[in-house]
Structure formats: structure tokens, C-alpha cells
């Protein structure tokens, strides 16, 4: 496929937003059962959730650039019974709404403690909103991943690994952002986030590498023989029926060289996983916000490359019909 | 149930592109709006078409064969492009199985074109909605047209009658008979899309002549008649007289 920048930004930006929200909610749940020190609501959770929301809005804005007719976008919420894209269109605003309320309630400290267990764990109202938010966050990850994983003849995408990678890579980038954010506004939580970020980055590295290995072994089900239905080992296309381009020649192939593709692969493996892992480690040791922010920026750039490669690597069977002018 | 479709006979298609031009002519003038062409006479021309004729070479020189291959939406019986559409703009008609796009609902997200393995959906770069073959649905039921013309424009235009049109669910229709008796096949059967359009393969008529068929073993002349006499070497009467 030809990677579309709107979709690359959409998926990476909402990934950060989702991951950041998960990070905040994890932190709050830990402190509710007193595994972590309690934070000042407004400053840490309120601002943090706003930051997450900012990324989600950024993703939403990017998504509109992908549509030919954005003014009709509301219609995309109608086919949730069959279309994962439609489901994503519904879940994304719900999740954004929940994050918004989560932030608002922390900000204004509308946080009644509903009850306290004997052991001292406090169930706050924001935890309930947060739980709902967490569930929709995962639902959103699944919708985004399934948009690609459900297309069975895009064999590179048609795998559970696609969904798992969306979940892990998005969460990892959000946790890295949360680490940098915590170092500034809640330093005693920084270690907690940094360690989780490194764990998730490592997990994402394993699953993304697994999908690379899987994809390198794929045997295409469609061939030129099945495409035109002629049984002969030597078939060549001589004309695609037109000499100028068409959507079919533009949208479905990346038009980059094999070397470039390879460079992208190695750069995303380095930038999205190895370098941020090291920077997180160093930043955690030194309590240095600059290094932690750098970790996030590098990881985000790496994820842009990762998403580009994700699209470019998918080989659409329609290309069999468009091989030569 | 009715499933209207085309059957394309690759044995007679000569690759003249008459179906392409008549399709474009009919559909660009249709009630659904024009089909955009950008830079038609300049550098990098591009445009929206419902139908394309491609050419393939089979075999290796000098034993090659040219195959002209018209391709448009196959109106799949289980179309993967329909369920993925988030707006419901892409749909398959219950009454005749034609797969259509509602241009007033489409948001131009291109997802359906990703979901079609055959590369027959083309977004209109100007109107930003997805377009594809409609099987000339605006001709098929138009009672102001003479009955013989209530067919897709491409079928009417084909000079070699390589394009048959009809209901592939009716076992006695011309198309069903052709599929059944002439070896009609679907494209990329591996994806289970069950295309309604079928293709008839190239068929060759070959005469098989064996050695013993060239000379009759039981030729009675071999037994009864004297063989022709050897050529006469000496001059004959015919050589010396002129009548
Ligand atoms: S050929 Fe493509 S566009 Fe047409 S019905 Fe089948 S999947 Fe859909
Ligand atoms: S481009 Fe239009 S028809 Fe295709 S999936 Fe999107 S909304 Fe549906």
C-alpha cells in the first residue's frame, strides 16, 4: 500500500493519547490501593489527561485529512454492525469524552470517595470513569487494529499480531510520555512509569519482530495466474489499459526502492524500540527531564517510520493487475 | 434470486477498447454525474474509469499468445467491499445483486477500495467519492429504451460479442449456459468472494490427423487398376502434327 500521512498521524497520535491515559489510570489505581503515593489530582491527573486528550484531538484532526468528504463524516457511525472503521469512528469520541471528564473531575476535584475498604483502599468516582475509559481505550485499540487485520487478502495485516502491535506500540509511547510528564510534575512516580515503559517497549519489540518474521515468510495466495485465470508459468502483463496513472497505480504501491524500505525497517527498530529504551534507562537514573522527553520524541519518530513501513509492506493483490504501462 | 452479471469471452475479445469508451461515454453523461478526467491533454493525464482492457502475454517468445483482458467490478456474490464501508454507501442490491455506491453518502475514505482484491474501485479525484461499474443500472430498467438496448453499454458496444450479459442464477440464461458449457471461471477464487462475472477461457479448435488417415489403407485402386504407365520418352503424334 502507499502509506497515507493522514493515517500514519492518526494512528500514532491516538496511540500516544490512549497510552498516556492508560498510564494515568494505572497510576491512580495503584495509589488507590496505596501501592503508590497519592498525587495532587489537579496537577498530575488533570493536566496529564488533558495532555492525552490533546494527542487524541490531534489524531482526530489528522483523520479528517484522509476523507474526501469530511463534511459527511457523521455518516461513518452508521455501519457499526459490519465495519471496524465505523466502530472506530464511534469509540474514538466516546473515549475522548471519558478522558475529558476524567480530566475535568480531577481538575475540579469532584472526586467523592464512594467507599473505603477495611484495608484502606478508596474507591473514588474518577476511578469508575477511569475504568470505563480504560475499557474504551482497549476497544479503540482493537477497532484500529482490526481495520487492518480484517482485510484477509492483505496477508501482511491479516493476523492477530497486527492488533497486538497496535495495543503495545501505542501504550508504550503513551507510557514514555507519562514518564517524562511524571518527572516534571510527580517525580516520585517517574521510576514506576519508566520501568513500565521499558517493559512495554520490550514486549512491543518482541511482537513487532514476530510480525516482521511472519511477513517475511508469507507466500502470496494470489498470483498472476489466479488473477487472470490462465494456467501457464510464464505470464507477463504488456498493458494495463491506460498510460497515465490512476488511483490503482497511486494508492496501492509505495513507489520506494527496496533499499529505502530496508532502511525504514532498521530505523524504526532502532528509533521506536532500542534508542528510547536506552534513553529511558539513562533518564530514569539521572532524573533528567530532557533525556526523558528526548526518549518520547525519538520513539514517536520511530513509530512514524514503523507505521510507514506497516503500510508499505502490505502487498495488495490488485497490484497484480497494474504491473506495467 | 437474480444476480445480473457479465460473462466475458476471452476467446473472442480482440482488445479494441470499445467497451471502455462506450462505458465512459454512457456513464460520464449519466444522471449520477460525470467521471472526472484530470489533465486529459496535458502531462500526467489521469481519470476515472469503470472498465479497463488489459493485455497479457502468455508463454515465451516465439511461442507466445496475447490475451486481452477486460476488467470491471465483478459484482461479487459475497463482496468484501460492502461490509467494510462505514457509511453504508457501498451496498449490494437484493433484487438483482448489483453492487453500487451511493455517491451522496460516500465520504471518500477509500476503505472499500482496499477491501476489493481486484482493483476495480476508483476514487473520483474531483468529486472525492468512490466510483465503480454500475452494470449500467440506469439502462437496465429504463422503459424508454427499446428492450434490446436495456443492457450495459459495454455489451452493446462490443463488436465481437465478447461480452454476454444476463442472470447467472437462472440456469437456462445465455450466461449460465456459457459458463456451464464453455468452461466459465471466476477470478481469484482463493478469496471466496464468489465473483458473479465470469470469464470464458481461450479455446482452440485443433484437428487431429493421424498418418494412416492421410492414405486410405483400403483404397480399391491399389488392387484393381493398373498403375499409371511410365512417361513416354519417344516423340508421339501430338508432337509432330498440328491440327
Ligand atoms: S469486484 Fe471488487 S468492487 Fe466489485 S463487488 Fe467484488 S470486491 Fe466489490
Ligand atoms: S470510500 Fe465511500 S463507499 Fe468506500 S468505504 Fe468509504 S464511504 Fe464507503
Amino acid at each position: 500500500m502507499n502509506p497515507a500521512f493522514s493515517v500514519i498521524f492518526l494512528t500514532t497520535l491516538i496511540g500516544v493519547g490512549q497510552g498516556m491515559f492508560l498510564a494515568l489510570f494505572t497510576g491512580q489505581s495503584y495509589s488507590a490501593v496505596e501501592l503508590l503515593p497519592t498525587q495532587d489530582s489537579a496537577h498530575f491527573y488533570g493536566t496529564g489527561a488533558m495532555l492525552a486528550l490533546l494527542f487524541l484531538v490531534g489524531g482526530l484532526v489528522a483523520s479528517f485529512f484522509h476523507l474526501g468528504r469530511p463534511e459527511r463524516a457523521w455518516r461513518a457511525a452508521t455501519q457499526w454492525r459490519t465495519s471496524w472503521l465505523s466502530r472506530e469512528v464511534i469509540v474514538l469520541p466516546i473515549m475522548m469524552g471519558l478522558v475529558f471528564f476524567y480530566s475535568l473531575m480531577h481538575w475540579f476535584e469532584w472526586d467523592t470517595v464512594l467507599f473505603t475498604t477495611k484495608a484502606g483502599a478508596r474507591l473514588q468516582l474518577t476511578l469508575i470513569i477511569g475504568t470505563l475509559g480504560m475499557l474504551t481505550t482497549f476497544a479503540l485499540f482493537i477497532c484500529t487494529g482490526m481495520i487492518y487485520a480484517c482485510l484477509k487478502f492483505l496477508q501482511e495485516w491479516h493476523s492477530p499480531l497486527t492488533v497486538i502491535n497496535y495495543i503495545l506500540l501505542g501504550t508504550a509511547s503513551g507510557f514514555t510520555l507519562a514518564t517524562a510528564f511524571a518527572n516534571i510534575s510527580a517525580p516520585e512516580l517517574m521510576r514506576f512509569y519508566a520501568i513500565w515503559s521499558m517493559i512495554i517497549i520490550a514486549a512491543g519489540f518482541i511482537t513487532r519482530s514476530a510480525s516482521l518474521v511472519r511477513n517475511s515468510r508469507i507466500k502470496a495466495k494470489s498470483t498472476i495466474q489466479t488473477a487472470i485465470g490462465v494456467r501457464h508459468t510464464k505470464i507477463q502483463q504488456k498493458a494495463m489499459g491506460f498510460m497515465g496513472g490512476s488511483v490503482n497505480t497511486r494508492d496501492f504501491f509505495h513507489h520506494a526502492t527496496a533499499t529505502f524500505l530496508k532502511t525504514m525497517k532498521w530505523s524504526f527498530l532502532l528509533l521506536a524500540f532500542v534508542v528510547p529504551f536506552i534513553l529511558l534507562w539513562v533518564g530514569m537514573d539521572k532524573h533528567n527531564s530532557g533525556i526523558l522527553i528526548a526518549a518520547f520524541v525519538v520513539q514517536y519518530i520511530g513509530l512514524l517510520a514503523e507505521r510507514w513501513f506497516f503500510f508499505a509492506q502490505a502487498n495488495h493483490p490488485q497490484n497484480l493487475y497494474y504491473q506495467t504501462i | 434470486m437474480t444476480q445480473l452479471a457479465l460473462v466475458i469471452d476471452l476467446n473472442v475479445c480482440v482488445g479494441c477498447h470499445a467497451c471502455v469508451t462506450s462505458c465512459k461515454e454512457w456513464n460520464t453523461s449519466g444522471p449520477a454525474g460525470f467521471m472526472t478526467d484530470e489533465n486529459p491533454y496535458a502531462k500526467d493525464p489521469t481519470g476515472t474509469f469503470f472498465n479497463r482492457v488489459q493485455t497479457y502475454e502468455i508463454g515465451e517468445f516465439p511461442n507466445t499468445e496475447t490475451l486481452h483482458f477486460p476488467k470491471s467490478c465483478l459484482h461479487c456474490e459475497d463482496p468484501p467491499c460492502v461490509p467494510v464501508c462505514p457509511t453504508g454507501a457501498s451496498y449490494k442490491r437484493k433484487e438483482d445483486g448489483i453492487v453500487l455506491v451511493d455517491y451522496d453518502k460516500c465520504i471518500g475514505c477509500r476503505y472499500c477500495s482496499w477491501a476489493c482484491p481486484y482493483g476495480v474501485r476508483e476514487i473520483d479525484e474531483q468529486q472525492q467519492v468512490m466510483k465503480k461499474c454500475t452494470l449500467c443500472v440506469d439502462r437496465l430498467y429504463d422503459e424508454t429504451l427499446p428492450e434490446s438496448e436495456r443492457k450495459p453499454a459495454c455489451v452493446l458496444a462490443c463488436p465481437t460479442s465478447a461480452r454476454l450479459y444476463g442472470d447467472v442464477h437462472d440456469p437456462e440464461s445465455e450466461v449460465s449456459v456459457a459458463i456451464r458449457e464453455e468452461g466459465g471461471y471466476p477470478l481469484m477464487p482463493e478469496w471466496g468472494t464468489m465473483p458473479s462475472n465470469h470469464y470464458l477461457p481461450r479455446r482452440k479448435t485443433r484437428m487431429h490427423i493421424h498418418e494412416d488417415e492421410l492414405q486410405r489403407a483400403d483404397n480399391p485402386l491399389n488392387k484393381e487398376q493398373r498403375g499409371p504407365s511410365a512417361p513416354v520418352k519417344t516423340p508421339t503424334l501430338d508432337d509432330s502434327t498440328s491440327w
Side-chain angles (χ1 to χ4, degrees):
Chain A
M1 305 291 295
N2 196 7
F5 276 94
S6 48
V7 184
I8 293 181
F9 279 108
L10 159 71
T11 54
T12 48
L13 285 173
I14 62 172
V16 175
Q18 286 166 274
M20 175 81 182
F21 174 73
L22 286 182
L24 294 173
F25 178 70
T26 315
Q28 201 197 351
S29 317
Y30 271 60
S31 60
V33 290
E34 296 186 331
L35 289 173
L36 282 178
T38 316
Q39 293 309 311
D40 169 27
S41 255
H43 272 112
F44 187 66
Y45 299 114
T47 325
M50 271 301 158
L51 195 58
L53 192 61
L54 224 61
F55 279 90
L56 293 170
V57 171
L60 188 68
V61 171
S63 77
F64 276 91
F65 285 94
H66 184 66
L67 300 185
R69 294 276 194 154
E71 74 279 10
R72 300 179 182 164
W74 61 271
R75 286 189 185 273
T78 57
Q79 301 301 309
W80 50 271
R81 285 185 205 81
T82 58
S83 168
W84 283 104
L85 180 53
S86 185
R87 289 172 200 160
E88 185 188 42
V89 167
I90 296 171
V91 175
L92 178 59
I94 295 181
M95 192 222 153
M96 289 170 68
L98 286 169
V99 175
F100 179 70
F101 277 115
Y102 182 82
S103 163
L104 212 64
M105 287 165 70
H106 275 296
W107 205 290
F108 294 109
E109 297 181 7
W110 299 330
D111 207 5
T112 16
V113 177
L114 295 180
F115 69 89
T116 315
T117 61
K118 277 195 208 107
R122 288 155 290 120
L123 184 71
Q124 294 145 312
L125 197 55
T126 46
L127 271 182
I128 296 190
I129 298 285
T131 312
L132 291 176
M134 177 199 67
L135 293 175
T136 45
T137 302
F138 277 107
L140 183 57
F141 272 133
I142 292 171
C143 290
T144 313
M146 280 308 287
I147 287 177
Y148 307 99
C150 76
L151 300 173
K152 62 182 165 193
F153 40 78
L154 279 158
Q155 288 169 274
E156 287 82 356
W157 293 352
H158 188 54
S159 144
L161 281 173
T162 302
V163 181
I164 295 172
N165 285 331
Y166 268 94
I167 296 177
L168 287 178
L169 303 192
T171 312
S173 60
F175 266 74
T176 311
L177 179 63
T179 312
F181 176 66
N183 196 43
I184 298 164
S185 56
E188 64 274 37
L189 293 189
M190 188 275 285
R191 263 196 107 69
F192 167 77
Y193 283 127
I195 289 172
W196 268 116
S197 305
M198 289 191 285
I199 293 175
I200 303 169
I201 288 177
F205 181 71
I206 293 170
T207 57
R208 190 65 180 92
S209 310
S211 84
L212 285 179
V213 172
R214 171 186 178 273
N215 289 353
S216 67
R217 296 190 187 165
I218 280 183
K219 188 171 173 298
K221 274 199 196 163
S222 285
T223 58
I224 186 91
Q225 283 78 12
T226 69
I228 65 170
V230 174
R231 258 184 87 86
H232 196 295
T233 46
K234 293 249 156 45
I235 301 178
Q236 261 185 40
Q237 187 171 38
K238 289 290 169 187
M240 61 167 84
F242 50 96
M243 296 173 81
S246 84
V247 176
N248 306 86
T249 61
R250 288 189 293 267
D251 265 19
F252 294 88
F253 190 65
H254 48 75
H255 302 285
T257 59
T259 335
F260 185 75
L261 221 62
K262 222 177 191 160
T263 319
M264 281 306 249
K265 181 170 85 181
W266 288 108
S267 16
F268 93 68
L269 284 174
L270 276 177
L271 296 180
F273 300 104
V274 181
V275 178
F277 189 94
I278 297 171
L279 287 177
L280 275 168
W281 193 296
V282 177
M284 178 177 75
D285 262 4
K286 298 208 153 64
H287 290 265
N288 184 325
S289 295
I291 298 180
L292 291 174
I293 291 173
F296 171 73
V297 173
V298 171
Q299 186 180 17
Y300 186 74
I301 294 170
L303 286 180
L304 291 179
E306 188 274 336
R307 225 34 58 88
W308 187 93
F309 186 81
F310 171 78
F311 283 102
Q313 201 191 26
N315 192 11
H316 200 291
Q318 76 110 39
N319 290 343
L320 291 169
Y321 295 109
Y322 299 94
Q323 295 178 31
T324 185
I325 287 172
Chain B
M1 269 246 301
T2 310
Q3 172 66 64
L4 299 178
L6 297 173
V7 169
I8 295 164
D9 192 343
L10 300 178
N11 203 35
V12 282
C13 174
V14 291
C16 71
H17 290 249
C19 53
V20 178
T21 50
S22 69
C23 164
K24 179 94 174 188
E25 187 276 332
W26 174 260
N27 286 297
T28 204
S29 339
F34 59 95
M35 291 155 72
T36 306
D37 282 321
E38 283 184 336
N39 314 322
Y41 304 109
K43 202 167 165 279
D44 297 327
T46 177
T48 317
F49 284 79
F50 292 171
N51 182 24
R52 309 270 195 184
V53 177
Q54 310 190 316
T55 303
Y56 294 84
E57 185 177 88
I58 298 159
E60 222 168 348
F61 182 80
N63 294 320
T64 57
E65 205 174 282
T66 303
L67 182 85
H68 298 296
F69 182 83
K71 177 168 75 78
S72 54
C73 169
L74 308 168
H75 298 280
C76 301
E77 300 206 29
D78 189 4
C81 56
V82 168
V84 301
C85 174
T87 62
S90 276
Y91 63 105
K92 185 171 176 69
R93 297 191 356 149
K94 288 238 158 49
E95 60 271 35
D96 53 17
I98 301 180
V99 176
L100 290 177
V101 181
D102 184 337
Y103 303 145
D104 293 330
K105 280 190 188 163
C106 174
I107 54 171
C109 69
R110 301 167 183 236
Y111 193 29
C112 55
S113 70
W114 296 11
C116 166
Y118 305 102
V120 296
R121 288 179 167 253
E122 300 190 9
I123 199 149
D124 190 304
E125 297 283 10
Q126 211 170 66
Q127 294 156 39
Q128 286 296 330
V129 292
M130 196 50 79
K131 299 208 166 169
K132 65 178 258 318
C133 162
T134 64
L135 214 64
C136 286
V137 69
D138 49 345
R139 295 185 67 91
L140 307 182
Y141 304 101
D142 185 350
E143 302 202 337
T144 62
L145 291 174
E147 185 142 15
S148 61
E149 286 180 24
R150 288 181 214 153
K151 286 181 176 179
C154 57
V155 174
L156 295 174
C158 181
T160 60
S161 303
R163 304 174 77 91
L164 311 177
Y165 155 77
D167 175 11
V168 289
H169 279 184
D170 168 6
E172 295 315 317
S173 67
E174 184 193 15
V175 280
S176 294
V177 172
I179 296 171
R180 195 164 62 233
E181 296 181 358
E182 312 279 334
Y185 64 87
L187 304 182
M188 293 188 187
E190 60 272 23
W191 301 119
T193 54
M194 297 197 286
S196 304
N197 284 11
H198 282 69
Y199 286 78
L200 304 184
R202 303 263 288 137
R203 296 166 303 253
K204 291 209 181 124
T205 320
R206 283 207 181 83
M207 263 214 307
H208 294 284
I209 302 174
H210 296 284
E211 198 72 36
D212 58 344
E213 287 169 328
L214 287 174
Q215 191 147 37
R216 267 180 76 181
D218 56 347
N219 190 341
L221 284 180
N222 291 345
K223 287 182 190 153
E224 287 168 16
Q225 208 184 29
R226 275 184 294 142
S229 50
V232 183
K233 298 245 167 56
T234 52
T236 64
L237 197 59
D238 287 342
D239 295 327
S240 51
T241 54
S242 70
W243 301 95

